[in-house]
Amino acid sequence: MRKKIVAGNWKMNMNLQDGIALAKELNETLKADKPNCGVVICTPFIHLASIAQFLDQDIIGLGAENCADKEKGAFTGEVSAEMVKSTGAQYVILGHSERREYYKETPEILKEKVLLAQKNDLKVIFCIGESLEEREAGKQNEVVKAELEGSVFNLSEEDFRKIVIAYEPIWAIGTGKTATAEQAEEIHAYIRSIIAEKYGQAVADDTTILYGGSCKASNAPELFAKPDIDGGLIGGASLKCADFKGIIDAWKK
């Protein structure tokens, strides 16, 4: 059975004190009311070491939102996969649409990041997804296929099995447009089919594919009921304990 996961991506939000307070609240809440799925919080780099000291990672995994595509050296301001791992984090988000768009991260750069993350025993949440223009042109399938081929389909079967995929329709993030549960399921099923073409049906059946487009407590039950949607990568709704728990609790319905 593939793992069900709800992962929070805090993005560039929360100062250190507020981040620690939120993580503590989540930790206590989920200890008291055990989740029915895997839970991960991916925080800004500066939060990781502090939160790792008290987070019960049997209940909530800790992750970074990015890492560098170089191992070490004269790269001022960068944070390596080894540094992320040394904080106590277990996960890293790579390939997020904001990194691709604002920081011009290419498939080749992301390929290097994935390799370095895995070398340092980090579990990669790898993001793929199409823009509004690409969706309206009917190119969503070729876009997600190219993103997988460019950065993770070079991996061995053993290493690919360690990857969590997050599909995020870029056109449904902060635009007021939303993907229906049917649209989301359709492309999740397609993603699983191209993984099966590359690695075989058994690997495809074991691959966790998260949905990352404006998922909230109100629509999570409908999304998570779809056979190929294994959870969510949550942005804004992960910044308040009650909102995030509402999505996590969708797996109990």
Side-chain angles (χ1 to χ4, degrees):
M1 278 291 292
R2 60 182 174 262
K3 195 169 185 185
K4 312 298 187 190
I5 296 173
V6 174
N9 174 16
W10 290 7
K11 307 193 178 184
M12 197 175 72
N13 294 295
M14 299 271 179
N15 64 31
L16 181 59
Q17 291 74 26
D18 291 345
I20 288 172
L22 174 59
K24 283 186 171 169
E25 186 182 3
L26 282 168
N27 201 49
E28 292 312 306
T29 301
L30 295 181
K31 265 187 172 176
D33 184 10
K34 293 277 194 296
N36 208 18
C37 62
V39 177
V40 181
I41 52 171
C42 295
T43 78
F45 292 129
I46 66 158
H47 299 57
L48 293 172
S50 299
I51 290 174
Q53 290 175 19
F54 64 81
L55 199 68
D56 182 346
Q57 290 205 52
D58 290 334
I59 297 176
I60 307 176
L62 180 62
E65 298 173 17
N66 186 30
C67 71
D69 62 335
K70 303 288 192 296
E71 202 155 8
K72 59 182 162 188
F75 303 103
T76 300
E78 288 293 292
V79 176
S80 71
E82 182 186 10
M83 291 174 186
V84 169
K85 182 67 177 178
S86 74
T87 66
Q90 299 174 324
Y91 288 84
V92 61
I93 296 172
L94 295 175
H96 194 280
S97 59
E98 289 157 6
R99 299 295 316 175
R100 293 176 190 265
E101 183 181 354
Y102 306 147
Y103 303 100
K104 308 302 177 221
E105 292 190 359
T106 63
E108 199 54 46
I109 287 170
L110 292 170
K111 183 193 270 189
E112 291 304 312
K113 291 190 177 198
V114 169
L115 292 173
L116 285 167
Q118 289 203 330
K119 182 180 177 183
N120 286 281
D121 205 23
L122 289 168
K123 297 168 191 167
V124 173
I125 300 172
F126 189 77
C127 301
I128 56 176
E130 79 283 358
S131 67
L132 182 59
E133 295 75 21
E134 290 161 342
R135 166 63 69 158
E136 289 179 340
K139 291 183 174 176
Q140 62 269 23
N141 286 7
E142 65 185 82
V143 169
V144 297
K145 186 176 185 182
E147 287 175 336
L148 290 169
E149 287 176 342
S151 304
V152 292
F153 274 5
N154 56 297
L155 298 172
S156 67
E157 178 184 319
E158 182 186 0
D159 286 339
F160 184 82
R161 280 181 174 275
K162 300 170 190 168
I163 300 276
V164 172
I165 302 294
Y167 166 72
E168 36 163 27
I170 300 162
W171 50 275
I173 300 173
T175 59
K177 294 176 184 283
T178 53
T180 64
E182 287 69 32
Q183 283 176 312
E185 166 60 19
E186 182 182 11
I187 195 151
H188 276 240
Y190 172 72
I191 292 163
R192 204 173 301 286
S193 77
I194 56 177
I195 294 169
E197 279 176 25
K198 173 69 181 173
Y199 292 105
Q201 194 63 49
V203 175
D205 288 344
D206 286 346
T207 300
T208 297
I209 308 177
L210 308 180
Y211 175 73
S214 301
C215 179
K216 41 195 178 289
S218 57
N219 63 3
E222 186 186 7
L223 285 162
F224 294 175
K226 296 296 182 186
D228 289 291
I229 299 177
D230 304 315
L233 179 60
I234 315 301
S238 70
L239 298 174
K240 289 188 177 164
C241 183
D243 294 347
F244 195 44
K245 185 160 188 302
I247 296 168
I248 293 164
D249 286 348
W251 282 120
K252 295 189 174 181
K253 294 179 181 176

